Amino acid sequence: DAGITQSPRHKVTETGTPVTLRCHQTENHRYMYWYRQDPGHGLRLIHYSYGVKDTDKGEVSDGYSVSRSKTEDFLLTLESATSSQTSVYFCAIRLGLAGPDTGELFFGEGSRLTVL
Amino acid sequence: QQPVQSPQAVILREGEDAVINCSSSKALYSVHWYRQKHGEAPVFLMILLKGGEQKGHEKISASFNEKKQQSSLYLTASQLSYSGTYFCGTEMDSGGSNYKLTFGKGTLLTVNP
């Protein structure tokens, strides 16, 4: 099974403070994603990465930045957190599509962020 | 661009069938289906690719109409364990996959005894 860990799992912070969420994978999957999930909006793509130092924006990238300096780590940073960024954040890795592999996204357990 | 799912919610009795639909205004390379239980991460069910290939759980049935850019997930003889929120995710066709997976808002499925 693909190994993926998100940290922290829960965080409460105040408006205006910087926040970094970490996604760590134990396998060398090329593609990694950050989504946020809010009631009534489903899963919305923030940023994704297709390799070390290769990232691209998703639907809701304003207010977020990402970095990927190593294959195994994909960091999501909120430079100055706002209450509208209160959400559950999911990291995902993309499995291969060749042979029996399905090309699926495998999700981490999520990080619940509350911005007061 | 976010795909559109319908219905938004459906309530079934155990043993009944349901169909969940997903549509896009753009040409698609693939459609994914996921199920999410409350408080948990989404879990992969199936992928349907342009050209007809499908991969996923054997007990799950789905279709992909490439001409209409529509996909449907078929849940037959529903069980209590089928309850959850179902998401479709789509990848645009850019001569292949662009690996940018965009999800719909979800369909809440409730199966009652």
Side-chain angles (χ1 to χ4, degrees), chain A residues 19-37:
Chain A
V19 176
T20 295
L21 305 180
R22 180 182 183 235
C23 179
H24 177 78
Q25 61 161 323
T26 58
E27 302 175 0
N28 290 325
H29 295 289
R30 180 179 175 188
Y31 294 90
M32 299 184 75
Y33 303 78
W34 277 108
Y35 289 90
R36 62 177 289 176
Q37 186 170 36

Side-chain angles (χ1 to χ4, degrees), chain B residues 10 12-13 15-21 33-35 45 59-62 72-79 81-86 107-111:
Chain B
V10 59
L12 301 174
R13 287 201 178 277
E16 292 181 338
D17 302 338
V19 180
I20 301 173
N21 301 300
W33 287 97
Y34 294 78
R35 178 171 61 213
L45 296 175
K59 294 186 177 181
I60 298 293
S61 175
S72 295
L73 182 69
Y74 304 98
L75 301 168
T76 57
S78 60
Q79 306 172 17
S81 62
Y82 287 12
S83 292
T85 301
Y86 289 77
T107 296
L108 178 62
L109 178 73
T110 304
V111 181

